[in-house]
Structure formats: structure tokens, C-alpha cells
């Protein structure tokens, strides 16, 4: 799903779009963007950027393979990426050590002292310094993990400058677009988090200061000043987050051609083409069972290492799993309703008006199952079905093609459709 300006609460006016385009040029590298667009100077570059409207095409997908090779062979590791990874590792180790130290201290406190309560014994151990040391170690570790995550997001923006330099050396690449995801929106969550923390903690501190004032304690300037400072940080972070969101929207619309997915594997050049089939079965109960299987044909061009990386990365939601065997391609995923917070309303909408293309039988009791696609049923047998092999979980050899039958166009149609077939 592509992120566009309409995805934000406040559509941008022309002035805001101009400012956002200027930030894109500044954050992704003025020299790199100018060379990519064939411009000279901020005004000309931002205007050309706003006039550029690339789209996903077969050519842009092929461009993506070239970019993938460039990133693998020629993209150096940035300082932000190096330090970010180091901070995450050191911070994670510090948190683990603090936790292990706390557990060990509790055990020693229970066994080696006369106290029945380990928390009573613990502060007295090692001269009363164990808890403060563990607290500092754990807190510092968490801070390093957070800093490392932020530096990782910054590294993606820095890497985008190298991608812009790569694209600038390819004639017409700006018009075809950069065959990857825009990196700026990765920063948005950090500003949102700081804003929420600033407003929340600042508000609580302010309320506490007012309560102290009501109790007759007039030494409340410290809490009130701290509250004002925290709220100011929250306000500034919110403004920065809004600027990031607008710049990300402009970059996504006018520079990059791959967006983000809400379900399935993360979107990149290898997963930019997806073939999905909905399998609905009658499980001999009041309702029905539904599963969506998705194959990513272009993953056949990946190396075994890249396939393993994508398997380990997993899906962008909590309902989808990779079911194709390790080391095999194409990658095939399955999304089910076996989750307490998941329902199939999106399938009701997405496959409404689609096509029944095949039938089969379930492994349990051999109940009937039906295979459905959204459109182009005539290509199912030749192009789609071979991608899935036996991954549907149906009886081997039971999948049979049927004359394409158009499905109902109602918003909620599957239950009645299955009932009519039963």
C-alpha cells in the first residue's frame, strides 16, 4: 500500500508542499537530488521534484534488481549504521546483565541471609550498592537500545543519499522513480514517541506541582518549570514529526515507487509482485474456514541467503506465516483467522465480485473447499496455481479447475455463499 498525502490528517497546501520538498532535498542530500533531477539550486530542484510522478512498472521492478546488486556490493556501511548496531548490541547486553544480576542478587539474598524476603536482604548486599548499580546498568542499556534504534533509522536516510547518487548515473531514472521505499517515515515514530512522553510526563508533573501548591508548599517552581520544559519538548517534537510526515509524503509520491504493506511480506523489489488465492472451506460447523495463500513469483530470482533473510524477517502483521520450505522459491505465505484479534472482513471486501476458479477437499474429513481469485480467472491455471504446488493444505491431487464463476458483490457474502453450497 503506497503512502500518499491523503493518508495524513491535514492535506498540504502549495506552500507546505514546497517546504516539504525542500526538506526532502536537504535530508536526502542537496547535491545528490540536484544531480538526480538535473537541476541547479533549491528552487529549481524542489519544483522539478514536485512535477515528478513516477509509477510502478515492469521497468521500475527491473531497475530494482540493479539497485539490489548495488546495495549488496557497493553500498558502504555508514557511521550511523555502525554505531547504531553497536549501541543495540551493547545496550541489549547491559539489560541482560542487569536482569541476571538482579536475579542472582535475589537468590543470594534468600539463601545467604536470615531474611525471609529477598527484597529486604538485597539493599544491604555489597554495601547497599547492588540495586543502584543494577538500576544504572539496566537504564543505560535501555537508553543505548533506544539510541541504537534511532541511529538505525537515520542510517536509512543516509543510505538513501547513496541510492540517489546511483540513480543519478542512470538516464531517466528520476522519471521511473527510485525502486525502493522512502526512508524518511522511519523517523516519524521517534518524534511521535518523544512528543507523547513529553506531553504525558509534563502534564503529570504540572498537576503534581499544582497539587503541592494547594497543599501549602510554595516551593513548587521546580516541578512547574520541569513541566513547562517537558511540554515544550513535546510540542517541538510534534512539529518535527509533522514536518517528517509531510516530507515523507512528498518523497513517496514524487521520488520512490515502492510503498508499504499492511499484510504479508515487507514490500521490496523481490516481493513487489504477489499472487493470492483465498481458500474457503465448510468445516461442518456453523461458520466457515478461510485462509489466504500468497506466492511471490519474483523471489525465484533470489539467492538462498536472500531467501533466508526474508524468511527470518517474516511478515508485517501478526497473522501471516511463511509456509514454503526453507531454501525453496517462490516464497509462499498463509494468512489465517486463527487469532483472537483477527477477522476476515478485508477478504469479504477484496474478493467480493471475484471469481471461483477451482475446488478441492480438506485433509480433515475431506470436506469441500473452494479456491477464489480477485480477477483474471483465465490465467489461474497457467500462471498462478503452479506457484503454490501443494501448499494449500488440501488432499493431494484434489484441486480441480472449474468453469470460472463470478462471486457475489455484497460486502459480507462468504457465509451465505458457503451455506448455499452446503
Amino acid at each position: 500500500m503506497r503512502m500518499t498525502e491523503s493518508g495524513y490528517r491535514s492535506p498540504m497546501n502549495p506552500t507546505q508542499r514546497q517546504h516539504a520538498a525542500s526538506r526532502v532535498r536537504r535530508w536526502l542530500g542537496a547535491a545528490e537530488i540536484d544531480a538526480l533531477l538535473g537541476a541547479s539550486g533549491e528552487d529549481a530542484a524542489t519544483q522539478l521534484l514536485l512535477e515528478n510522478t513516477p509509477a510502478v512498472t515492469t521497468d521500475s521492478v527491473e531497475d530494482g534488481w540493479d539497485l539490489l546488486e548495488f546495495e549488496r556490493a557497493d553500498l558502504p556501511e555508514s557511521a550511523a549504521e555502525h554505531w547504531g548496531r553497536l549501541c543495540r548490541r551493547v545496550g541489549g547486553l547491559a539489560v541482560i546483565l542487569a536482569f541476571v544480576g538482579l536475579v542472582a542478587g535475589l537468590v543470594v539474598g534468600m539463601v545467604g541471609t536470615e531474611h525471609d524476603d529477598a527484597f529486604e536482604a538485597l539493599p544491604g548486599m555489597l554495601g547497599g550498592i547492588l540495586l543502584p548499580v543494577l538500576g544504572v546498568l539496566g537504564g543505560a542499556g535501555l537508553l543505548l537500545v533506544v539510541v541504537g534504534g534511532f541511529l538505525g533509522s537515520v542510517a536509512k536516510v543516509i543510505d538513501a543519499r547513496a541510492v540517489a547518487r546511483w540513480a543519478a548515473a542512470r538516464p531517466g531514472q528520476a522519471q521511473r522513480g527510485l525502486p525502493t521505499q522512502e526512508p524518511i517515515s522511519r523517523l516519524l515514530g521517534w518524534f511521535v514517541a518523544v512528543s507523547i512522553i513529553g506531553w504525558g510526563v509534563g502534564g503529570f508533573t504540572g498537576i503534581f506541582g499544582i497539587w503541592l501548591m494547594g497543599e501549602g508548599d510554595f516551593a513548587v517552581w521546580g516541578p512547574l518549570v520541569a513541566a513547562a520544559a517537558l511540554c515544550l519538548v513535546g510540542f517541538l517534537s510534534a512539529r518535527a514529526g509533522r514536518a517528517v510526515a509531510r516530507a515523507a509524503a512528498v518523497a513517496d509520491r514524487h521520488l520512490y515507487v515502492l510503498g508499504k504493506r499492511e499484510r504479508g511480506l515487507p514490500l521490496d523489489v523481490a516481493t513487489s509482485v504477489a499472487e493470492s488465492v483465498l481458500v474457503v472451506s465448510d468445516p461442518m460447523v456453523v461458520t466457515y474456514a478461510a485462509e489466504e495463500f500468497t506466492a511471490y513469483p519474483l523471489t525465484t530470482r533470489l539467492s538462498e541467503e536472500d531467501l533466508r533473510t526474508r524468511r527470518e524477517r517474516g511478515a508485517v502483521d501478526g497473522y501471516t506465516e511463511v509456509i514454503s520450505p526453507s531454501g525453496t522459491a517462490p516464497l509462499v505465505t498463509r494468512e489465517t483467522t486463527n487469532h483472537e484479534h483477527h477477522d476476515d472482513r478485508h477478504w469479504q471486501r477484496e474478493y467480493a465480485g471475484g471469481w471461483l476458479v477451482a475446488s478441492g477437499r480438506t485433509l480433515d474429513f475431506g470436506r469441500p473447499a473452494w479456491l477464489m481469485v480477485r480477477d483474471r480467472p483465465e490465467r489461474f491455471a497457467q500462471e498462478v496455481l503452479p506457484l503454490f504446488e501443494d501448499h494449500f493444505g488440501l488432499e493431494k491431487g484434489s484441486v480441480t479447475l472449474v468453469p470460472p464463476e463470478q462471486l457475489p458483490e455484497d460486502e459480507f457474502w462468504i457465509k451465505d455463499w458457503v451455506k448455499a453450497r452446503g
Side-chain angles (χ1 to χ4, degrees):
M1 178 175 291
R2 288 182 59 77
M3 178 182 65
T4 62
E5 294 171 39
S6 59
Y8 298 105
R9 293 182 179 179
S10 301
M12 286 181 278
N13 60 43
T15 300
Q16 291 169 337
R17 282 166 52 85
Q18 194 78 16
H19 288 163
S22 179
R23 292 189 186 98
V24 170
R25 176 180 175 272
R26 185 165 61 253
W27 295 345
L28 299 186
E32 289 81 355
I33 297 300
D34 287 1
L36 173 64
L37 298 172
S40 178
E42 180 173 346
D43 292 341
T46 54
Q47 186 60 35
L48 286 175
L49 176 61
L50 292 174
E51 292 173 356
N52 195 49
T53 54
V56 177
T57 64
T58 302
D59 289 338
S60 63
V61 172
E62 289 300 321
D63 290 336
W65 293 110
D66 295 338
L67 176 58
L68 196 62
E69 290 298 323
F70 164 77
E71 290 178 329
R72 182 184 296 114
D74 302 315
L75 185 61
E77 183 182 56
S78 66
E81 185 176 0
H82 171 76
W83 287 107
R85 185 177 65 255
L86 185 62
C87 285
R88 291 191 295 272
R89 289 178 177 176
V90 174
L93 180 61
V95 171
I96 292 173
L97 289 176
F99 177 76
V100 171
L102 178 62
V103 172
L106 290 173
V107 171
V108 172
M110 288 285 288
V111 175
T113 72
E114 58 185 18
H115 293 279
D116 293 329
D117 189 339
F119 283 98
E120 255 180 62
L122 186 60
M125 295 179 59
L126 301 178
I129 64 171
L130 182 59
L131 272 181
V133 168
L134 293 179
V136 171
L137 182 63
L142 288 175
L143 180 61
L144 282 175
V145 170
V146 171
V147 171
F150 177 74
L151 288 176
S153 298
V154 172
K156 295 300 181 182
V157 178
I158 295 174
D159 289 345
R161 298 179 181 179
V163 172
R165 287 195 298 271
W166 166 85
R170 297 164 61 92
Q173 191 66 59
Q175 289 71 42
R176 297 196 300 274
L178 303 187
T180 184
Q181 297 174 351
E182 62 80 21
I184 299 173
S185 58
R186 292 173 179 264
L187 298 170
L188 180 58
W190 298 101
F191 290 103
V192 171
V194 171
S195 178
I196 293 174
I197 293 172
W199 283 110
V201 177
F204 177 81
T205 305
I207 293 173
F208 178 69
I210 294 173
W211 176 79
L212 288 178
M213 186 180 295
E215 291 294 311
D217 188 345
F218 295 97
V220 297
W221 291 111
L224 292 179
V225 170
L230 288 167
C231 288
L232 179 61
V233 169
F235 172 74
L236 294 177
S237 296
R239 284 180 59 88
R242 188 180 301 113
V244 166
R246 288 171 174 170
V250 167
D252 182 76
R253 182 181 180 90
H254 300 288
L255 201 57
Y256 294 87
V257 293
L258 295 182
K260 293 179 174 60
R261 280 201 175 107
E262 292 182 350
R263 305 181 347 245
L265 298 183
L267 182 60
D268 59 27
V269 62
T271 63
S272 58
V273 176
E275 301 285 358
S276 297
V277 178
L278 184 68
V279 178
V280 176
S281 60
D282 178 3
M284 296 192 301
V285 294
V286 176
T287 184
Y288 55 87
E291 298 176 305
E292 185 179 56
F293 296 84
T294 303
Y296 300 88
L298 296 182
T299 55
T300 56
R301 298 175 61 171
L302 294 175
S303 66
E304 187 171 343
E305 180 182 354
D306 287 332
L307 284 172
R308 183 171 61 253
T309 298
R310 282 163 176 77
R311 286 181 63 88
E312 292 173 353
R313 188 188 306 163
V316 298
D317 63 303
Y319 321 122
T320 305
E321 60 176 336
V322 180
I323 61 171
S324 51
S326 179
T328 64
L331 291 176
V332 178
T333 64
R334 176 180 63 191
E335 180 182 351
T336 72
T337 56
N338 297 330
H339 193 283
E340 61 178 335
H341 300 301
H342 180 275
D343 60 57
D344 57 4
R345 284 178 293 181
H346 57 275
W347 291 335
Q348 302 263 8
R349 295 189 299 268
E350 292 176 4
Y351 287 88
W355 297 86
L356 171 67
V357 289
S359 64
R361 305 195 74 80
T362 62
L363 287 174
D364 51 339
F365 306 108
R367 301 293 294 175
W370 301 276
L371 282 66
M372 307 169 181
V373 297
R374 296 185 181 95
D375 53 22
R376 300 178 64 188
E378 69 282 352
R379 62 189 285 269
F380 177 76
Q382 289 76 24
E383 301 179 29
V384 180
L385 185 58
L387 298 172
F388 293 93
E389 297 181 345
D390 295 323
H391 298 318
F392 292 127
L394 303 177
E395 288 183 357
K396 188 174 181 60
S398 70
V399 176
T400 304
L401 299 177
V402 301
E405 174 187 327
Q406 190 160 19
L407 299 171
E409 296 184 358
D410 304 332
E411 184 175 1
F412 300 103
W413 58 274
I414 295 182
K415 183 176 181 179
D416 291 338
W417 187 89
V418 171
K419 184 177 180 180
R421 299 241 162 193

